[in-house]
Amino acid sequence: MSITIKDEQGIQGMRLAGRLASEVLDFLTPHVQAGVTTNALDQLAHDYITQVQQAIPAPLNYAPNGYNPYPKSICTSINHQVCHGIPNDKVLKKGDILNIDITVIKNGWHGDTSRMFVVGEGSIAAKRLCAMTYEAMWHGIVKVKPGARLGDIGHAIQLFAEGLGFSVVREFCGHGIGQVFHEEPQVLHYGKPGTLEELRAGMTFTIEPMMNAGKRDIRETGDGWTIVTRDHSLSAQWEHTILVTPTGYEVLTLSEGSPPLPSFVTTSSC
Ligand code: MF3
Ligand code: CO
Ligand code: CO
């Protein structure tokens, strides 16, 4: 296997899938409130994806090598949960921070994106972790252009995160995406500039840094999916699906409800 280059038709497919994934987050946003269960969010998202968007929730029954089939349509990771949290019947509480990760398949193409939500009034520390993880993702995105290397992306994210005193999770990374959910390359969120694969126009991959308030160490819980911080510190993650254009990048997972770009970013497409 090697890195796939999408042609114009593939890019159109990825644009549609990416926008739909982001629109699921827009749809869910008013429902993310204290007292709501993550199962309710999962059900709402499942119905919206399958009935309104006529698309497929990629996580449902997804079973990579060595994993049990994932039982739900979305991932919901709360507080010290890093990623791949499984929706359940617990209610959200004021002050919780929550990542919702959506992947849809439309006409065979995948769009993958996640955002952080703060339930009610979050603590200053929780809000800062969420905001800085968003900026960290964008520090990676703006490095994307033909001729740059994957190590440039990882380095930019690591430098920014660690400069603020946060840690970067190493065990999970961004990934190539297209007609396959997780394909080559791996997109590490740490590294050295000028190293690893050179970017070429037509590549599509995600950038999805996970940042912890405490140490970077993680462990898998007994459900076989949910990843948590070992020290139980808060963790945040944001994710976009990116196209390498002839001159830079295009963020494919944008919609009306996407948060504004950080002040150091001038455009979502160049
Ligand atoms: N959407 C996740 C990612 O960003 C993967 C979730 S796999 C699942 O790569 F099975 F947990 F849904
Ligand atoms: Co992803
Ligand atoms: Co995702």
Side-chain angles (χ1 to χ4, degrees), residues 58-60 62-64 70 72 74-75 84 101-103 112-113 173 175 181-182 206 208 225 237 239:
L60 188 60
Y62 183 59
Y70 188 79
K72 300 282 175 171
I74 68 174
C75 297
H84 305 165
D101 193 339
I102 302 291
T103 311
D112 188 6
T113 187
C173 53
H175 49 92
F181 191 168
H182 294 101
T206 71
E208 49 180 302
W225 278 101
Q237 178 177 32
E239 175 174 26

Side-chain angles (χ1 to χ4, degrees), residues 18-82:
R19 179 170 57 78
L20 292 180
S22 187
E23 285 177 353
V24 177
L25 291 169
D26 297 353
F27 167 74
L28 288 176
T29 297
H31 297 281
V32 180
Q33 287 191 14
V36 172
T37 67
T38 46
N39 263 345
L41 297 175
D42 178 71
Q43 189 66 54
L44 285 163
H46 179 89
D47 292 348
Y48 187 76
I49 293 166
T50 56
Q51 291 164 33
V52 178
Q53 297 186 329
Q54 304 278 306
I56 298 166
L60 188 60
N61 298 316
Y62 183 59
N65 243 337
Y67 284 81
N68 302 321
Y70 188 79
K72 300 282 175 171
S73 295
I74 68 174
C75 297
T76 52
S77 304
I78 302 174
N79 296 335
H80 72 297
Q81 296 178 341
V82 174

Side-chain angles (χ1 to χ4, degrees), residues 5 11-12 22 53 61 73 100-101 125 183 198 203 235-236 238 241 244:
I5 298 294
I11 290 168
Q12 288 301 346
S22 187
Q53 297 186 329
N61 298 316
S73 295
I100 304 180
D101 193 339
E183 59 183 35
E198 187 174 316
M203 288 181 181
S235 188
W238 290 78
T241 299
V244 184

